[in-house]
Every structure is written in structure tokens, then in C-alpha cells.
Amino acid sequence: AARPPQALSTPPAAPSPEQRGAAMGGGNAQKTAMSRAKNAAKAKAEAAGGGGAKGAQARAAAMDLKCSVCMQCFPNTQVKAAQ
């Protein structure tokens, strides 16, 4: 029993523009979403009280405790120093 001849295999079709676009990093919507996420993370880091004058204000504790001996003011975190 003779087999029928097999058809020659055809080369794979070229990828469609949609498939090529996905491999290239996405479109404007994806870029916009990534930009928003990066900017939100950057704003959150700046609001956390990093370096600089803004950070110093955020890190400064209230100077509410006053020593009864030397009358020096201390931050709220230093209760023992003010006694």
C-alpha cells in the first residue's frame, strides 16, 4: 500500500501587527499607566519625610517637655531627660 505524497510544509505566517506590538512594549495606555504608577510611588516616598528641609520638618518631634531643674525643652521622645 503506497502512501500519498505529503504536502510540503509551508513556512510560518508573519506575526500580525497586534502580535508585533505586544512584543515591543505596549501602547500609549500601558505607558500612561506605568507613568502614573511611578509618579504615585515617587510622591509617596517624598511624603514619607526623606531628606532636606521638608524631611526635617516631618521628623521634628514636638518640644513639649521642660526640665524642672535647667528649664531646657526636650522632645516628647525623651521623657527621662526632662525629669
Side-chain angles (χ1 to χ4, degrees):
R3 286 195 222 171
Q6 293 181 349
L8 296 175
S9 63
T10 58
S16 67
E18 294 84 18
Q19 291 171 339
R20 277 187 272 136
M24 294 181 70
N28 286 338
Q30 182 181 3
K31 292 175 187 176
T32 302
M34 285 300 295
S35 178
R36 283 194 184 119
K38 285 181 185 179
N39 288 338
K42 188 176 180 183
K44 182 179 176 184
E46 285 180 8
K54 282 181 146 184
Q57 290 173 353
R59 290 188 306 268
M63 302 287 273
D64 288 339
L65 300 176
K66 192 177 222 182
C67 178
S68 59
V69 176
C70 64
M71 297 303 196
Q72 183 177 354
C73 292
F74 292 94
N76 289 343
T77 57
Q78 301 294 322
V79 176
K80 286 186 178 181
Q83 290 177 350

